[in-house]
Amino acid sequence: MTPIPRVTPPQAIIGACMHKMAMLIFGVLRSGRPFDPAVAVPMLEIQDGI
């Protein structure tokens, strides 16, 4: 008998993305500096080929 893979519900994925975006927005508002993607998403250049 093969185990049934657990799947993340779409609402949980959307909620996680909304939480991350809210934290980025709050950080920009709190710091008063413009958004810098190099700071927000470190190590992104490593994932460029994926």
Side-chain angles (χ1 to χ4, degrees):
M1 185 167 171
T2 61
I4 299 172
R6 295 175 17 140
V7 178
T8 305
Q11 293 88 357
I13 296 169
I14 292 171
C17 291
M18 288 176 22
H19 180 263
K20 186 172 186 175
M21 183 179 260
M23 293 297 104
L24 287 171
I25 292 170
F26 181 70
V28 169
L29 291 175
R30 186 176 57 183
S31 70
R33 292 184 290 187
F35 177 72
D36 183 9
V39 174
V41 188
M43 306 291 285
L44 187 62
E45 61 274 359
I46 293 174
Q47 300 177 5
D48 195 27
I50 297 176

